[in-house]
Amino acid sequence: MDQWDAKIRNYSISELASEFGVTARTLRFYEDKGLLNPKRSGQMRIYSGADRARLRLILRGKRVGFTLEEIREMMELKTLDAGGTVHLSVSLQRFRNQINTLKQQRSDIELSIAELEAGCAWLEAKMINREPSEEIKQSARAFEALALARLEH
Amino acid sequence: MDQWDAKIRNYSISELASEFGVTARTLRFYEDKGLLNPKRSGQMRIYSGADRARLRLILRGKRVGFTLEEIREMMELKTLDAGGTVHLSVSLQRFRNQINTLKQQRSDIELSIAELEAGCAWLEAKMINREPSEEIKQSARAFEALALARLEH
DNA sequence: TTTACCATTGACGTTGACGTAAGGGGGATG
DNA sequence: CATCCCCCTTACGTCAACGTCAATGGTAAA
């Protein structure tokens, strides 16, 4: 239980960048936008485990379509201890909205996956039987019909 | 079974635009990029039900994070009947990659939802008990610890 | 005919998220 | 000492996805 803990590990900018597959420029940019603020040792940036965790959150947020500004706001809301009940309830509403957005997106994604999987099946069918047999043509038309049915509302 | 079918419905540019909550400029832009090509009556664009279906796909693709270029490619792959087995298998691989991307995204989304719901719970706890009781402070610290545990790898 | 409205095609402007180039500091190694 | 490598800041460049503006045309009601 001494101080040789795993959490006192720090990271240089390029370490963190390469670990997450981004450039150093990106990390400096995020700092500029108020998303990160690592400690400094002189000029050099020193990233802690917490900074690393924030970065993970930022990148995940990006992947699901939030802008950097939105991500910054959400992170601020959680570190914002001051502020009355009103402010809290506003924050709560914002979080709930984001959740609904994400759920909508998840459903979009599931539809898209289904769409692409249907496309795969269609391509596979075409590859297995190269000669334009009536059988395949039939299934092709069937697929098209199904696709259309799903698409036209 | 006469021709008073539902599918012969056509749309003007502003009809389609307002139905999907985009501007006419957007539709012209998509056409410029080869994503749509409605028929013309003179200068005016005439959108068919198929065009409408394509638009639906485009917008969904956008919502899940594909670029217009990617969407165009995917749509081309499906209307591309010519091309040998090699081309087909390349297409198939592309589709499979997109599917994996989407599945990754879905998992990201689920993580984000969990994150935000935890944030909601945290805010709610704070609202219910406004006075800074030790009890709440404890649960706050507990939450922070949990969050960190989830975040740091 | 005039007014009103919707359509068209350019062309340039804007925003977010970085890339890239220029110029310079500091330390470790041959 | 010279060379390398990593770090820093400042500032301009870029790309996608449209927005906005200008000038113009067709048609339908007043």
Side-chain angles (χ1 to χ4, degrees):
Chain A
M1 255 233 229
D2 262 63
Q3 290 300 41
W4 50 276
D5 205 336
K7 297 179 70 177
I8 28 175
R9 171 79 198 281
N10 286 336
Y11 309 83
S12 82
I13 192 170
S14 50
E15 276 172 359
L16 210 56
S18 79
E19 176 179 352
F20 285 90
V22 300
T23 69
R25 170 71 174 104
T26 302
L27 298 188
R28 296 193 194 103
F29 184 72
Y30 290 167
E31 188 173 346
D32 239 50
K33 298 289 167 182
L35 285 154
L36 290 174
N37 54 337
K39 290 179 215 155
R40 300 286 185 131
S41 157
Q43 292 243 83
M44 280 180 55
R45 291 163 174 87
I46 309 285
Y47 294 89
S48 69
D51 292 322
R52 186 162 163 275
R54 286 179 75 89
L55 178 57
R56 188 187 299 281
L57 265 188
I58 295 168
L59 296 179
R60 187 190 294 149
K62 279 205 49 183
R63 284 198 299 269
V64 306
F66 291 124
T67 70
L68 295 184
E69 174 63 13
E70 286 167 332
I71 294 170
R72 194 185 57 73
E73 281 174 11
M74 299 192 315
M75 290 179 138
E76 262 179 17
L77 292 190
K78 274 175 72 176
T79 53
L80 190 79
D81 309 59
T85 307
V86 176
H87 196 137
L88 283 178
S89 93
V90 169
S91 304
L92 191 55
Q93 195 51 51
R94 296 270 273 273
F95 273 54
R96 293 236 166 88
N97 287 340
Q98 311 282 37
I99 290 176
N100 286 337
T101 302
L102 288 180
K103 285 184 174 170
Q104 170 61 46
Q105 251 185 285
R106 184 174 54 185
S107 124
D108 279 335
I109 285 187
E110 265 146 18
L111 283 175
S112 296
I113 287 178
E115 188 73 30
L116 286 174
E117 274 173 351
C120 280
W122 154 248
L123 285 177
E124 278 163 357
K126 244 181 136 182
M127 284 183 68
I128 289 172
N129 196 335
R130 286 295 301 161
E131 52 274 11
S133 74
E134 265 310 309
E135 197 180 354
I136 285 290
K137 282 182 172 175
Q138 291 280 354
S139 86
R141 273 194 290 273
F143 168 71
E144 296 281 331
L146 266 172
L148 269 174
R150 265 182 297 120
L151 290 180
E152 309 241 17
H153 182 132
Chain B
M1 259 236 230
D2 262 61
Q3 291 299 44
W4 48 277
D5 203 337
K7 297 179 68 175
I8 30 178
R9 172 79 197 281
N10 285 338
Y11 309 83
S12 82
I13 192 167
S14 50
E15 276 172 359
L16 210 56
S18 79
E19 176 180 351
F20 285 91
V22 299
T23 69
R25 171 72 175 99
T26 301
L27 298 188
R28 296 193 195 102
F29 184 73
Y30 290 167
E31 187 173 347
D32 240 50
K33 298 290 166 179
L35 285 154
L36 291 172
N37 54 337
K39 288 179 215 156
R40 300 285 186 130
S41 157
Q43 294 243 84
M44 280 180 51
R45 291 163 174 84
I46 309 285
Y47 295 88
S48 69
D51 292 322
R52 186 163 163 276
R54 285 179 74 89
L55 178 57
R56 186 187 298 281
L57 265 188
I58 294 168
L59 296 178
R60 185 149 76 216
K62 278 203 51 181
R63 284 198 300 270
V64 305
F66 291 124
T67 71
L68 296 184
E69 173 63 13
E70 286 168 332
I71 295 171
R72 195 187 55 75
E73 282 174 12
M74 297 192 319
M75 290 178 138
E76 263 180 15
L77 292 189
K78 274 176 72 176
T79 53
L80 189 79
D81 309 60
T85 308
V86 177
H87 197 137
L88 283 178
S89 92
V90 169
S91 304
L92 191 55
Q93 194 50 51
R94 296 271 272 270
F95 274 54
R96 293 236 166 91
N97 287 340
Q98 312 282 37
I99 289 176
N100 285 336
T101 302
L102 288 179
K103 285 185 174 169
Q104 170 61 46
Q105 252 185 284
R106 183 174 54 185
S107 127
D108 279 335
I109 286 186
E110 267 146 18
L111 283 174
S112 297
I113 289 178
E115 188 73 30
L116 286 174
E117 277 174 349
C120 281
W122 155 247
L123 285 176
E124 279 164 357
K126 245 182 136 180
M127 284 183 67
I128 289 173
N129 195 336
R130 285 296 299 160
E131 51 276 10
S133 74
E134 266 310 308
E135 198 180 354
I136 283 291
K137 282 182 172 175
Q138 291 281 352
S139 87
R141 274 196 289 274
F143 168 70
E144 295 280 331
L146 266 171
L148 270 174
R150 264 184 297 119
L151 290 180
E152 310 240 16
H153 180 140

